[in-house]
Amino acid sequence: MSHAIAQPPPELTREHALALLRDMLLVRRFEEKTVELYSAGKIRGFLHLYIGEEAVAAGAMRALSPDDRIVATYREHGQALLRGISAGAVMAEMFGRANGCSRGRGGSMHLFDAARRFYGGYAIVGGGLPVAVGLALADRLLQRSCITACFFGDGAVAEGEFHESLNLAALWSLPVLFLCENNYYAMGTALERHQAEPDIALKAAAYRMRSEVVDGMDVLAVEEATRRAARQVRESHSPVLLELRTYRFRAHSMYDPDLYRSKEEIERWRQRCPIKKFVERLREWDWLTDASYAELEAEIGGVVQRAVAEAEAGPLEPVADLLTDTCTPRDRPHDVPVAPQRASPP
Amino acid sequence: MTKITYREAVRAGLRAALSRDERVFLMGEDVGRYGGAYACSRGLLDEFGPERIRDTPLSESTFVGAGIGAALGGMRPIVEVMTVNFSLLALDQVVNNAATLRHMSGGQFSVPLIVRMATGGGRQLAAQHSHSLEVWYAHIPGIRVLSPATVQDAHDMLLAALDEPDPVFLFEHALLYPQEGDLDESLGPADLEHAALRHRGEHLTIVTYGGSLWKALAAADRLQAEGIGADVIDLRVLRPLDMPTVLESVARTHRALVVDEGWRTGSLAGEISAQIIEGAFYELDAPVSRLCSAEVPMPYAQQLEEAALPQVQSIVAAAKELVTHG
């Protein structure tokens, strides 16, 4: 756990620090609004909140390049918003509207955006990892320089696909950055109740993969570690695993009565709230005044409000289009990039 | 026109695919140095190198998932899963990712992936290497399921699958690999929409696919010798089914027998029967008849395995029963 320091790190600018704060606040306020809307029946299905974990998406997304590919989980509102999918498009998706980022076909758990190289939220735990490995394989074969960042939770570590994917990515030297968001619970089952070896980063050694444990409640630590790891992946053409230790303050989903952990435990983690701690540091550095914080909150409040309005106003896809996009229309060329010409395989 | 084995036809199809498009690569268990469990890819490693002919660990779920990712990333992967029995380890990737990504993303992504696998029994490989589970795949919207039964189709359907924007699953009956047939490489892309009428007759329609096609054709010859004419329809495409071809035949013969190596309950034969009843009920002179595998895990002992599977003899008997008493 990082301790507040009186001076900001030398390479950090106030502008960048405020951008990170804004990122985390956007996710927090957006999700708080979705809770209201869920209670009001505007959002249905499952809603998995990221509240408490914002430093992970905020730090990681700032460290990745726009060319990099993102594979995420069903708890991906933060990743989606901070990758640049508009709050309106994400909210509209959760409303099931045709102006949603997946045209209302995916909902909260399946946000996609081809233009932002956001390859989706995957709701079968571990199911995104092989896809990330394949994306990286394509990039390797086509000699592209981008990497694939693959988010997953500690629960996925128990899946065979975690081990298979780490093995294959390491064996074939594929540019995957595995980002394990360890929030200590696989739904309701605590890490030490589902892992014989609860040190997740350690497992990478079995695949001769570099790994690191990161304080996932500290946005600067996450950004710095992700930047370093992404550079390693890019330069070494081989995968790296980061274990980002974090905590969700809310229940697993809106259906979860949260009976499996104590109020004291939750409260202890709340004291480490990534936004609260970061705000304290910014104040210590004299980078944030009450007025500027209030201004930021107001600006984000506006973004969220406009997102709701956009979702409310969004059209419903006609039921006549129910089967659309089950298969790719045969009269339309599908969007597959053409490989560069090479004399021979690398 | 050349006479080659089904295995060689698959290999020629793979070679043509790899030569035609730089984005094509083959991956799977033992496809490289070993040459493929059924020798379909023998020699391709030397010809195309290890980047394009990739031996994978025994991680079905992950290499099928990686095929999905590579397809999303702009490649044209051909994944060989050794047999349908092992493909069950990858079913999550098939059902929840390959088949859903286009729809779930609101049409933003397509998955141009080809997955090939051997299927079927008849080689005394017992209950974990002998099943025909094509119907499980044919159940899933968002993918195309092919069952090439001829040398020509083994070659052409693979190549045509390369032009498909969505996932294509090819089922190759393991007994067909050594079988010889004619291959005309000049025919152009295979039709991936329609069933084929492989034998003509006026008294009944036998609907089948894959390895059972040859049993049905042998049965049709025997029936003909006894004065019973059978239409034999090779479905070729198991999803989406070409029912117009089946219904057109049934409208002429007024009797239908469906032969399917899958288990009877929940079988493709059941689906086809239902669609015949829905689409040609008033054309039928007899109830639709089904000949499927016995509902038992495939036994090892030869006589038991033979009894479990549709055979020429049992097809002839079922056809006669349908024509004379049905």
Side-chain angles (χ1 to χ4, degrees), chain A residues 161-176:
Chain A
E161 284 175 329
F162 166 80
H163 300 276
E164 293 184 5
S165 294
L166 262 66
N167 180 53
L168 197 60
L171 186 71
W172 286 357
S173 300
L174 301 178
V176 187

Side-chain angles (χ1 to χ4, degrees), chain B residues 63-114:
Chain B
F63 69 72
V64 170
I68 294 166
L72 287 170
M75 296 297 289
R76 287 309 184 101
I78 301 177
V79 176
E80 177 177 309
V81 182
M82 212 178 276
T83 83
V84 67
N85 310 279
F86 311 158
S87 79
L88 306 190
L89 290 161
L91 261 186
D92 164 54
Q93 288 295 329
V94 174
V95 178
N96 288 313
N97 287 349
T100 59
L101 277 166
R102 173 142 192 106
H103 188 79
M104 220 161 53
S105 68
Q108 293 180 78
F109 295 104
S110 293
V111 182
L113 166 71
I114 297 176

Side-chain angles (χ1 to χ4, degrees), chain B:
Chain B
M1 191 84 91
T2 42
K3 203 164 197 67
I4 61 171
T5 63
Y6 186 99
R7 170 185 293 118
E8 288 163 341
V10 172
R11 191 184 305 148
L14 288 169
R15 185 179 289 118
L18 287 153
S19 307
R20 183 202 282 183
D21 189 339
E22 281 246 307
R23 298 170 304 173
V24 174
F25 68 99
L26 174 69
M27 68 174 159
E29 293 149 346
D30 279 323
V31 297
R33 281 202 198 176
Y34 188 100
Y38 295 93
C40 289
S41 51
R42 189 170 293 168
L44 298 182
L45 176 63
D46 289 340
E47 199 172 335
F48 296 98
E51 289 285 357
R52 300 187 70 199
I53 307 296
R54 309 184 74 92
D55 281 321
T56 64
L58 308 188
S59 305
E60 288 82 1
S61 187
T62 285
F63 69 72
V64 170
I68 294 166
L72 287 170
M75 296 297 289
R76 287 309 184 101
I78 301 177
V79 176
E80 177 177 309
V81 182
M82 212 178 276
T83 83
V84 67
N85 310 279
F86 311 158
S87 79
L88 306 190
L89 290 161
L91 261 186
D92 164 54
Q93 288 295 329
V94 174
V95 178
N96 288 313
N97 287 349
T100 59
L101 277 166
R102 173 142 192 106
H103 188 79
M104 220 161 53
S105 68
Q108 293 180 78
F109 295 104
S110 293
V111 182
L113 166 71
I114 297 176
V115 180
R116 300 173 38 243
M117 63 188 95
T119 184
R123 296 175 304 145
Q124 286 192 263
L125 297 179
Q128 294 183 346
H129 283 73
S130 302
H131 292 138
S132 290
L133 301 171
E134 293 89 317
V135 65
W136 291 21
Y137 287 82
H139 185 61
I140 308 165
I143 66 173
R144 187 170 291 268
V145 181
L146 307 177
S147 172
T150 67
V151 160
Q152 190 75 45
D153 271 349
H155 178 271
D156 291 355
M157 287 178 116
L158 176 63
L159 276 180
L162 269 188
D163 297 327
E164 287 294 304
D166 298 318
V168 177
F169 290 78
L170 281 141
F171 288 88
E172 301 163 359
H173 197 290
L175 282 184
L176 295 179
Y177 287 123
Q179 194 160 308
E180 282 196 332
D182 291 324
L183 175 67
D184 180 349
E185 290 199 58
S186 68
L187 284 186
D191 165 5
L192 298 186
E193 302 286 330
H194 296 102
L197 187 58
R198 303 283 188 202
H199 188 275
R200 268 194 173 277
E202 67 274 30
H203 300 110
L204 82 156
T205 299
I206 302 176
V207 183
T208 191
Y209 66 93
S212 299
L213 172 67
W214 301 98
K215 293 177 180 173
L217 288 171
D221 285 344
R222 279 198 213 170
L223 288 163
Q224 198 149 352
E226 296 182 41
I228 299 171
D231 261 8
V232 177
I233 292 177
D234 171 8
L235 287 170
R236 299 178 69 248
V237 185
L238 306 184
R239 183 180 188 93
L241 283 169
D242 170 21
M243 285 311 292
T245 297
V246 174
L247 296 177
E248 184 275 327
S249 169
V250 172
R252 279 189 287 104
T253 65
H254 309 293
R255 287 178 163 82
L257 166 65
V258 191
V259 180
D260 181 357
E261 222 185 281
W263 289 302
R264 184 184 183 90
T265 303
S267 61
L268 208 48
E271 175 60 30
I272 291 159
S273 302
Q275 292 207 37
I276 291 172
I277 290 162
E278 285 169 343
F281 184 79
Y282 297 104
E283 297 290 349
L284 290 171
D285 285 347
V288 177
S289 176
R290 283 188 286 165
L291 185 62
C292 301
S293 282
E295 306 232 357
V296 60
M298 196 63 77
Y300 163 71
Q302 189 178 20
Q303 79 287 0
L304 296 178
E305 185 185 40
E306 271 179 24
L309 292 165
Q311 303 293 356
V312 177
Q313 190 60 43
S314 55
I315 298 171
V316 168
K320 281 186 183 172
E321 173 69 20
L322 181 64
V323 171
T324 53
H325 303 293

Side-chain angles (χ1 to χ4, degrees), chain A residues 4-8 12 14 17-18 21 25 29 275-297:
Chain A
I5 42 171
Q7 293 297 316
L12 184 67
R14 175 171 183 263
L18 290 178
L21 175 62
L25 265 182
R29 301 295 175 244
I275 296 175
K276 187 174 91 126
K277 299 302 274 189
F278 196 52
V279 164
E280 284 170 11
R281 287 161 85 180
L282 291 172
R283 286 184 191 280
E284 275 180 47
W285 301 337
D286 284 331
W287 280 2
L288 189 69
T289 62
D290 286 348
S292 59
Y293 193 25
E295 206 176 296
L296 187 59
E297 286 276 22

Side-chain angles (χ1 to χ4, degrees), chain A residues 47 82 135 152 163 209 215-216 245 319 338:
Chain A
L47 181 67
L82 301 184
L135 285 163
F152 56 96
H163 300 276
M209 189 184 297
D215 179 359
R245 293 184 177 168
V319 172
V338 175

